Amino acid sequence: MEKLVILNDSDNVAIATTDLAAKDTVNVNERQLNLLAAVPAGNKVALTDLAAGEPIVKFGQHIGTLTADVKAGQLVDEHNLSDAAEDDAKSTSPAADLSKYLTKQTLMGYRRKSGKVGIRNDLFIVPTVGCITPLMDVMVQQFKAAHPDNGSFDNIILLKHPYGCSQLGEDFEQTRQILCDAALHPNAGGVLVFGLGCENNQMDGMKETIEKMAGIDPDRMKFLVAQEVKNEFATAQEMLEELNTAAANDHREPVPLSELKVGLQSVQPAAVSPLTADRLLGHLANVINANGGSTVLTGLPNLAAAEDELVKQSASQEAAADVQHVFGHMRDYYAEFDQQLVSEPSAKEQAKGITTAKELAVNTLQTAGDAAISGAISYGKKVSAAGLNVLEAPANDLIDSSAEAAADCQLVVVSTGVATPYASFVPSVKVAADSALAAKKQRWFDFDGGQALTKPFDELAKEFVDDIIAIASGKETSNEKAGLHGLAIFKIGVTE
């Protein structure tokens, strides 16, 4: 295992893969580097003598400016590095050529009447309001009693949430929007939208929104208002049986990778995440984007310090304007509560080697690979542009993955340095940052990213991409095996 790794040819620092002791001599880039101090895993070491005022470059990006002279082999951290001035924070990497990621691989998906492609044939039960969610459990129990194998469906997913009533303004509108987004997701082979009858989020409003968005297919989408029928359970079973019959002949067929939309997340990264799981996500993003698919990166607070870079990396003026719009909207939201969108790294993050806000943003951005940004999406909106998209959402694990799913991502891939069982209402692939974590929680993880420290990266990256394509073609994720699915909606404003 290499002890120090250079992430980009233009970097002037290397990253420690493990804790290194002072006075160690380490081979890096075919030369010996004498360490002047202890270097914790994930932290940065200067490759050459550098003077105060010089930029520190990591991932090919300027992450900060030295506040003191440093020697080759010296630790670069909060004691000698500060955030770069905005005017100086420029990418040093040339425009990416993704041609080497082109592949003839395909996935096996479900082609919907709308033209969209799903990677699952799931049954979604979508409540208009939170107070009726306990009734959905009974509905599923009754359906599974008749269909222990889920009938025509891969999974039965209850999109439980606590909202739909006592909401006002934008808060109410975005709750309805996310629920309609979910109802129209291509992974759903059948949908039952279930309401109470007296909630704010009335069924007529749901129908109107869905009709405007894409139209209603009555064979695949049913609507039930409990207060309007004598026996909601009997009526629900009739509707579910109709959906089951409609989906009976659905089948997978080969589709190109250009049909794949993947949400990307880095959640509570470990010190080695940029060298392991994050790096694998970046490679996956390059493969998908090179082949005409779409990737979606969110968690705007973690990206905010790199907003200028994201604007510069946009593929068009329209995309750049959209990037500025979503960041501006999120910044205004934070300002309403006297908060700053950009925050300095915590002591815990600094211990993992993240010294500046710009470095935190650059680390997060690497999970999205090297493509130019083709679009930026407001919360609750669908992906429309192939390539890398930035999505407005607040850097909360489940809210972000739900927003990516609502945007039509057929699966979400998560790099993480902690064990967490959360999952969205689409397959949620968990990539462990280190092998010990992957071994400890095998039932929660889908891939051991820690292998990147012991196996040739190109070999592991191919294995990872093949595994993602297998999952897109029907291989169950850990959350699906355990029956874990979730939905979290971004809550704002006041209630009445």
Side-chain angles (χ1 to χ4, degrees), residues 107 119 256-262 288 293-295 410-411 468 472:
L107 61 95
I119 65 168
L257 293 187
S258 58
E259 297 287 358
L260 197 56
K261 298 179 176 67
V262 177
I288 294 169
S294 303
T295 55
Q410 300 110 322
L411 73 161
I468 294 297

Side-chain angles (χ1 to χ4, degrees), residues 168-187:
L168 300 169
E170 186 180 358
D171 183 44
F172 166 71
E173 293 296 336
Q174 70 180 24
T175 290
R176 173 179 283 172
Q177 184 64 55
I178 291 293
L179 296 177
C180 292
D181 286 337
L184 289 168
H185 197 282
N187 280 6

Side-chain angles (χ1 to χ4, degrees), residues 47-377:
L47 292 171
T48 61
D49 293 349
L50 299 166
E54 288 196 60
I56 291 298
V57 180
K58 176 183 177 184
F59 286 119
Q61 302 238 14
H62 181 181
I63 62 166
T65 302
L66 286 173
T67 58
D69 295 348
V70 298
K71 298 289 186 181
Q74 186 172 339
L75 179 67
V76 177
D77 62 7
E78 65 273 14
H79 297 100
N80 50 31
L81 183 67
S82 67
D83 266 306
E86 288 188 8
D87 290 342
D88 297 330
K90 297 178 181 178
S91 171
T92 61
S93 296
D97 177 6
L98 302 183
S99 59
K100 68 179 181 180
Y101 297 98
L102 290 171
T103 177
K104 295 181 179 180
Q105 290 174 282
T106 60
L107 61 95
M108 298 296 291
Y110 294 95
R111 180 74 68 175
R112 302 301 183 190
K113 187 184 296 186
S114 64
K116 293 182 178 181
V117 168
I119 65 168
R120 293 293 183 271
N121 213 35
D122 289 339
L123 172 62
F124 285 5
I125 302 180
V126 184
T128 60
V129 63
C131 60
I132 57 171
T133 56
L135 300 180
M136 300 185 338
D137 292 319
V138 178
M139 293 175 180
V140 172
Q141 290 170 11
Q142 292 178 337
F143 182 80
K144 286 185 75 67
H147 304 280
D149 61 350
N150 294 337
S152 303
F153 302 107
D154 295 324
N155 302 282
I156 302 174
I157 300 178
L158 310 181
L159 280 79
K160 295 182 178 181
H161 63 88
Y163 302 132
C165 212
S166 299
Q167 290 182 275
L168 300 169
E170 186 180 358
D171 183 44
F172 166 71
E173 293 296 336
Q174 70 180 24
T175 290
R176 173 179 283 172
Q177 184 64 55
I178 291 293
L179 296 177
C180 292
D181 286 337
L184 289 168
H185 197 282
N187 280 6
V191 179
L192 173 62
V193 183
F194 180 42
L196 178 59
C198 56
E199 63 269 28
N200 286 42
N201 188 24
Q202 286 286 296
M203 191 66 80
D204 286 346
M206 290 284 292
K207 288 181 179 179
E208 181 181 355
T209 301
I210 292 171
E211 188 64 52
K212 286 180 180 178
M213 290 175 66
I216 296 171
D217 181 349
D219 293 330
R220 297 303 181 115
M221 190 176 297
K222 307 293 182 181
F223 300 88
L224 171 60
V225 178
Q227 291 174 347
E228 295 179 357
V229 298
K230 182 176 181 179
N231 186 329
E232 66 275 8
F233 294 126
T235 304
Q237 292 313 301
E238 291 176 8
M239 291 181 172
L240 293 177
E241 288 296 340
E242 291 173 359
L243 293 170
N244 187 59
T245 299
N249 294 319
D250 292 349
H251 62 276
R252 293 183 181 272
E253 60 183 77
V255 294
L257 293 187
S258 58
E259 297 287 358
L260 197 56
K261 298 179 176 67
V262 177
L264 305 166
Q265 289 186 8
S266 180
V267 174
Q268 295 193 45
V272 296
S273 288
L275 308 171
T276 59
D278 287 357
R279 194 178 174 195
L280 287 171
L281 264 65
H283 179 92
L284 172 68
N286 284 340
V287 172
I288 294 169
N289 291 329
N291 288 279
S294 303
T295 55
V296 177
L297 183 65
T298 189
L300 262 59
N302 290 340
L303 292 167
E307 179 183 349
D308 286 351
E309 280 304 307
L310 293 169
V311 171
K312 294 170 189 173
Q313 293 173 15
S314 297
S316 66
Q317 291 184 344
E318 181 181 5
D322 289 343
V323 168
Q324 291 174 315
H325 172 75
V326 296
F327 274 100
H329 188 261
M330 184 65 76
R331 190 179 298 106
D332 290 344
Y333 170 74
Y334 268 61
E336 287 181 28
F337 301 96
D338 298 320
Q339 300 295 316
Q340 297 292 324
L341 186 58
V342 177
S343 59
E344 295 302 316
S346 65
K348 184 177 180 180
E349 289 168 329
Q350 288 178 343
K352 295 176 182 178
I354 301 173
T355 307
T356 66
K358 178 67 181 294
E359 185 175 8
L360 174 63
V362 167
N363 275 14
T364 304
L365 187 56
Q366 299 319 302
T367 61
D370 304 308
I373 295 169
S374 56
I377 313 164

Side-chain angles (χ1 to χ4, degrees), residues 4 12-13 24 28 31-37 39 44-51 66 69-76:
L4 287 173
N12 54 12
V13 291
D24 275 359
V28 58
R31 68 185 181 88
Q32 298 294 310
L33 188 66
N34 297 317
L35 301 183
L36 304 183
V39 182
K44 302 173 289 296
V45 178
L47 292 171
T48 61
D49 293 349
L50 299 166
L66 286 173
D69 295 348
V70 298
K71 298 289 186 181
Q74 186 172 339
L75 179 67
V76 177

